[in-house]
Amino acid sequence: GQQVMQIPQYQHVQEGEDFTTYCNSSTTLSNIQWYKQRPGGHPVFLIQLVKSGEVKKQKRLTFQFGEAKKNSSLHITATQTTDVGTYFCAEPMDSNYQLIWGAGTKLIIKP
Amino acid sequence: KAGVTQTPRYLIKTRGQQVTLSCSPISGHRSVSWYQQTPGQGLQFLFEYFSETQRNKGNFPGRFSGRQFSNSRSEMNVSTLELGDSALYLCASSSEGGQKLFFGSGTQLSVL
Protein backbone atom coordinates (compact mmCIF):
# COMPACT_ATOMS: atom_id res chain seq x y z
CA GLY A 1 0.00 0.00 0.00
CA GLN A 2 0.87 3.65 -0.18
CA GLN A 3 3.59 4.63 2.27
CA VAL A 4 5.58 7.71 3.20
CA MET A 5 9.01 7.50 4.76
CA GLN A 6 10.24 10.46 6.78
CA ILE A 7 13.81 10.83 8.00
CA PRO A 8 15.52 11.39 10.30
CA GLN A 9 13.46 10.45 13.33
CA TYR A 10 15.36 12.94 15.52
CA GLN A 11 17.75 15.77 14.87
CA HIS A 12 19.76 17.43 17.60
CA VAL A 13 21.12 20.83 16.67
CA GLN A 14 22.77 23.75 18.38
CA GLU A 15 20.69 26.88 18.30
CA GLY A 16 21.64 28.72 15.13
CA GLU A 17 22.37 25.57 13.13
CA ASP A 18 20.25 24.40 10.24
CA PHE A 19 17.70 21.57 10.26
CA THR A 20 16.33 19.44 7.43
CA THR A 21 13.72 16.71 7.27
CA TYR A 22 12.91 14.60 4.22
CA CYS A 23 9.87 12.69 3.06
CA ASN A 24 9.75 10.07 0.34
CA SER A 25 6.58 8.53 -1.01
CA SER A 26 5.99 5.22 -2.74
CA THR A 27 3.69 6.96 -5.23
CA THR A 28 3.38 10.14 -7.27
CA LEU A 29 1.51 12.68 -5.22
CA SER A 30 -1.12 15.27 -6.01
CA ASN A 31 0.16 17.34 -3.11
CA ILE A 32 2.12 17.10 0.10
CA GLN A 33 1.42 18.94 3.34
CA TRP A 34 3.64 19.85 6.27
CA TYR A 35 2.59 20.22 9.88
CA LYS A 36 4.36 21.18 13.09
CA GLN A 37 3.52 19.85 16.53
CA ARG A 38 4.98 21.60 19.53
CA PRO A 39 5.64 19.51 22.66
CA GLY A 40 2.32 18.91 24.39
CA GLY A 41 0.44 20.49 21.52
CA HIS A 42 -1.43 19.45 18.43
CA PRO A 43 -0.34 19.45 14.77
CA VAL A 44 -0.58 22.82 13.06
CA PHE A 45 -0.76 23.14 9.30
CA LEU A 46 2.29 24.86 7.79
CA ILE A 47 1.99 24.55 4.03
CA GLN A 48 0.73 22.56 1.07
CA LEU A 49 2.87 21.96 -2.02
CA VAL A 50 1.16 21.11 -5.27
CA LYS A 51 3.42 21.79 -8.25
CA SER A 52 6.37 19.73 -9.46
CA GLY A 53 9.65 21.33 -8.34
CA GLU A 54 7.81 23.87 -6.19
CA VAL A 55 9.82 25.81 -3.61
CA LYS A 56 8.06 27.91 -0.99
CA LYS A 57 9.51 29.97 1.83
CA GLN A 58 8.09 31.06 5.14
CA LYS A 59 10.68 33.24 6.85
CA ARG A 60 13.46 30.80 7.81
CA LEU A 61 11.55 27.72 6.57
CA THR A 62 12.02 26.46 3.00
CA PHE A 63 9.76 23.76 1.60
CA GLN A 64 10.53 21.84 -1.59
CA PHE A 65 8.50 19.41 -3.69
CA GLY A 66 10.49 17.11 -5.93
CA GLU A 67 10.34 17.21 -9.70
CA ALA A 68 8.76 13.77 -9.80
CA LYS A 69 6.32 14.73 -7.01
CA LYS A 70 7.42 11.77 -4.91
CA ASN A 71 9.59 13.52 -2.35
CA SER A 72 9.67 16.68 -0.31
CA SER A 73 11.86 18.44 2.20
CA LEU A 74 11.63 21.09 4.88
CA HIS A 75 14.74 23.11 5.71
CA ILE A 76 15.01 25.51 8.62
CA THR A 77 17.84 28.03 8.55
CA ALA A 78 19.43 29.17 11.81
CA THR A 79 17.17 27.32 14.20
CA GLN A 80 15.68 29.07 17.21
CA THR A 81 14.14 27.67 20.38
CA THR A 82 10.71 28.45 18.97
CA ASP A 83 11.36 25.88 16.23
CA VAL A 84 11.41 23.01 18.72
CA GLY A 85 8.79 20.36 17.99
CA THR A 86 8.01 17.53 15.63
CA TYR A 87 7.59 18.17 11.93
CA PHE A 88 5.30 15.87 9.95
CA CYS A 89 4.73 15.49 6.27
CA ALA A 90 1.37 14.14 5.12
CA GLU A 91 0.21 12.98 1.75
CA PRO A 92 -3.31 12.23 0.50
CA MET A 93 -4.38 8.70 -0.27
CA ASP A 94 -5.90 8.00 -3.65
CA SER A 95 -9.33 8.94 -2.32
CA ASN A 96 -7.99 12.37 -1.29
CA TYR A 97 -10.11 12.25 1.85
CA GLN A 98 -7.50 10.61 4.02
CA LEU A 99 -3.94 11.65 4.76
CA ILE A 100 -1.04 9.29 5.28
CA TRP A 101 1.44 10.70 7.75
CA GLY A 102 5.16 10.41 8.00
CA ALA A 103 6.57 9.31 11.34
CA GLY A 104 7.75 12.85 12.05
CA THR A 105 11.14 14.39 12.69
CA LYS A 106 11.70 15.75 16.16
CA LEU A 107 13.83 18.87 16.30
CA ILE A 108 15.76 19.11 19.55
CA ILE A 109 17.89 22.11 20.45
CA LYS A 110 20.99 21.15 22.42
CA PRO A 111 21.40 23.09 25.67
CA LYS B 1 -13.39 32.08 13.69
CA ALA B 2 -13.32 29.77 16.64
CA GLY B 3 -10.98 26.82 16.28
CA VAL B 4 -11.68 23.13 16.58
CA THR B 5 -12.99 22.27 20.02
CA GLN B 6 -12.54 18.87 21.59
CA THR B 7 -14.00 17.72 24.87
CA PRO B 8 -13.07 16.48 27.32
CA ARG B 9 -9.38 17.41 27.43
CA TYR B 10 -8.43 14.54 29.74
CA LEU B 11 -10.18 11.28 30.53
CA ILE B 12 -9.32 8.38 32.80
CA LYS B 13 -11.19 5.12 32.36
CA THR B 14 -10.76 1.51 33.37
CA ARG B 15 -10.57 -1.51 31.16
CA GLY B 16 -13.91 -2.67 29.81
CA GLN B 17 -15.58 0.72 30.05
CA GLN B 18 -16.64 2.75 27.08
CA VAL B 19 -15.94 6.38 26.23
CA THR B 20 -17.37 9.07 23.99
CA LEU B 21 -15.28 11.97 22.72
CA SER B 22 -16.69 15.09 21.15
CA CYS B 23 -15.43 17.41 18.43
CA SER B 24 -16.84 20.70 17.17
CA PRO B 25 -15.24 21.72 13.86
CA ILE B 26 -14.52 25.17 12.56
CA SER B 27 -17.70 26.84 11.39
CA GLY B 28 -18.33 26.00 7.74
CA HIS B 29 -16.10 22.92 7.71
CA ARG B 30 -18.02 19.80 6.78
CA SER B 31 -15.17 17.27 7.03
CA VAL B 32 -14.08 15.87 10.37
CA SER B 33 -11.28 13.35 10.75
CA TRP B 34 -10.20 11.47 13.84
CA TYR B 35 -6.67 10.34 14.63
CA GLN B 36 -5.04 8.34 17.37
CA GLN B 37 -1.56 9.47 18.38
CA THR B 38 0.80 7.42 20.50
CA PRO B 39 4.54 7.93 21.04
CA GLY B 40 5.40 4.71 19.28
CA GLN B 41 2.90 4.71 16.41
CA GLY B 42 2.63 8.34 15.39
CA LEU B 43 -0.61 9.61 13.87
CA GLN B 44 -2.99 6.81 12.93
CA PHE B 45 -6.13 7.58 10.94
CA LEU B 46 -9.37 6.39 12.49
CA PHE B 47 -12.12 7.71 10.21
CA GLU B 48 -13.34 10.71 8.27
CA TYR B 49 -16.87 12.09 8.03
CA PHE B 50 -18.31 14.52 5.55
CA SER B 51 -21.89 15.75 5.72
CA GLU B 52 -22.82 12.97 8.16
CA THR B 53 -21.36 10.20 5.95
CA GLN B 54 -18.31 8.16 6.81
CA ARG B 55 -16.12 8.30 3.72
CA ASN B 56 -13.01 6.57 5.00
CA LYS B 57 -12.12 4.26 7.83
CA GLY B 58 -8.71 3.31 9.08
CA ASN B 59 -7.49 -0.06 10.23
CA PHE B 60 -8.98 -0.12 13.71
CA PRO B 61 -11.24 -2.72 15.31
CA GLY B 62 -14.99 -2.31 15.38
CA ARG B 63 -14.79 -1.10 18.99
CA PHE B 64 -13.95 2.27 17.50
CA SER B 65 -16.91 4.02 15.93
CA GLY B 66 -17.98 7.52 15.15
CA ARG B 67 -20.72 9.67 13.81
CA GLN B 68 -21.34 13.16 12.56
CA PHE B 69 -24.38 15.29 13.16
CA SER B 70 -26.15 17.67 10.82
CA ASN B 71 -24.30 20.62 12.36
CA SER B 72 -20.97 18.88 11.50
CA ARG B 73 -20.17 18.16 15.13
CA SER B 74 -18.72 14.71 15.52
CA GLU B 75 -18.36 12.11 18.21
CA MET B 76 -16.23 9.03 18.45
CA ASN B 77 -16.91 6.12 20.72
CA VAL B 78 -14.62 3.40 21.98
CA SER B 79 -16.26 0.43 23.63
CA THR B 80 -14.72 -2.24 25.83
CA LEU B 81 -11.60 -0.19 26.48
CA GLU B 82 -8.22 -1.89 26.50
CA LEU B 83 -4.97 -0.68 28.04
CA GLY B 84 -3.58 -0.17 24.53
CA ASP B 85 -6.26 2.40 23.78
CA SER B 86 -4.44 4.90 25.97
CA ALA B 87 -3.49 7.67 23.58
CA LEU B 88 -4.09 11.23 22.47
CA TYR B 89 -7.18 11.35 20.26
CA LEU B 90 -7.13 14.21 17.82
CA CYS B 91 -9.95 15.60 15.78
CA ALA B 92 -9.30 17.68 12.67
CA SER B 93 -11.64 19.65 10.49
CA SER B 94 -11.29 20.84 6.94
CA SER B 95 -13.50 22.20 4.23
CA GLU B 96 -12.82 19.38 1.77
CA GLY B 97 -11.32 16.47 3.65
CA GLY B 98 -7.68 15.48 3.36
CA GLN B 99 -6.66 19.07 2.70
CA LYS B 100 -5.26 21.58 5.15
CA LEU B 101 -6.42 20.07 8.40
CA PHE B 102 -7.10 22.15 11.49
CA PHE B 103 -6.64 20.13 14.65
CA GLY B 104 -8.22 20.43 18.05
CA SER B 105 -6.16 20.21 21.24
CA GLY B 106 -7.06 16.55 21.59
CA THR B 107 -8.41 14.29 24.30
CA GLN B 108 -5.78 12.49 26.34
CA LEU B 109 -7.30 9.13 27.25
CA SER B 110 -5.74 6.97 29.91
CA VAL B 111 -7.04 3.44 30.41
CA LEU B 112 -6.13 1.85 33.74
Side-chain angles (χ1 to χ4, degrees):
Chain A
Q2 188 176 350
Q3 294 182 356
V4 56
M5 186 174 71
Q6 185 173 2
I7 56 170
Q9 190 177 0
Y10 301 94
Q11 191 165 33
H12 295 77
V13 299
Q14 298 276 8
E15 189 173 2
E17 292 182 336
D18 292 356
F19 162 87
T20 306
T21 173
Y22 301 90
C23 281
N24 286 288
S25 176
S26 59
T27 188
T28 302
L29 305 170
S30 59
N31 71 79
I32 192 160
Q33 300 167 44
W34 287 91
Y35 294 77
K36 175 185 178 181
Q37 185 173 22
R38 294 180 185 270
H42 56 275
V44 173
F45 174 82
L46 294 176
I47 207 162
Q48 182 183 60
L49 304 175
V50 178
K51 297 177 183 176
S52 168
E54 190 169 19
V55 178
K56 285 190 174 180
K57 293 192 175 186
Q58 291 179 350
K59 297 183 181 178
R60 294 176 294 103
L61 278 62
T62 301
F63 303 85
Q64 294 190 352
F65 201 10
E67 294 288 342
K69 299 182 75 173
K70 296 185 73 170
N71 61 285
S72 182
S73 65
L74 158 59
H75 180 82
I76 302 177
T77 304
T79 54
Q80 299 175 358
T81 55
T82 54
D83 296 325
V84 163
T86 301
Y87 293 84
F88 293 94
C89 63
E91 59 184 55
M93 278 195 76
D94 293 339
S95 68
N96 278 330
Y97 305 140
Q98 175 182 338
L99 291 178
I100 298 174
W101 293 74
T105 297
K106 192 170 184 178
L107 169 57
I108 299 164
I109 303 281
K110 297 177 190 174
Chain B
K1 273 186 179 178
V4 179
T5 304
Q6 285 188 252
T7 56
R9 185 72 179 89
Y10 300 94
L11 208 47
I12 300 174
K13 293 287 187 179
T14 56
R15 280 182 299 174
Q17 288 187 309
Q18 76 166 23
V19 65
T20 300
L21 312 182
S22 179
C23 173
S24 293
I26 290 171
S27 177
H29 284 185
R30 292 193 290 168
S31 171
V32 174
S33 302
W34 288 89
Y35 289 86
Q36 182 195 66
Q37 187 175 35
T38 57
Q41 296 297 318
L43 277 155
Q44 300 295 316
F45 174 79
L46 281 156
F47 24 67
E48 188 258 356
Y49 288 88
F50 186 89
S51 294
E52 302 179 68
T53 299
Q54 185 183 89
R55 296 195 297 189
N56 281 94
K57 189 177 193 312
N59 190 25
F60 278 82
R63 300 185 296 107
F64 291 81
S65 63
R67 59 178 175 169
Q68 187 180 32
F69 302 97
S70 58
N71 62 358
S72 294
R73 191 178 70 85
S74 178
E75 291 181 344
M76 69 163 281
N77 185 77
V78 188
S79 62
T80 320
L81 284 166
E82 300 178 358
L83 295 178
D85 297 333
S86 294
L88 178 66
Y89 290 88
L90 291 160
C91 158
S93 80
S94 68
S95 56
E96 297 292 333
Q99 307 289 339
K100 194 175 179 181
L101 303 185
F102 292 85
F103 283 85
S105 297
T107 295
Q108 185 66 55
L109 172 64
S110 297
V111 182
L112 307 178

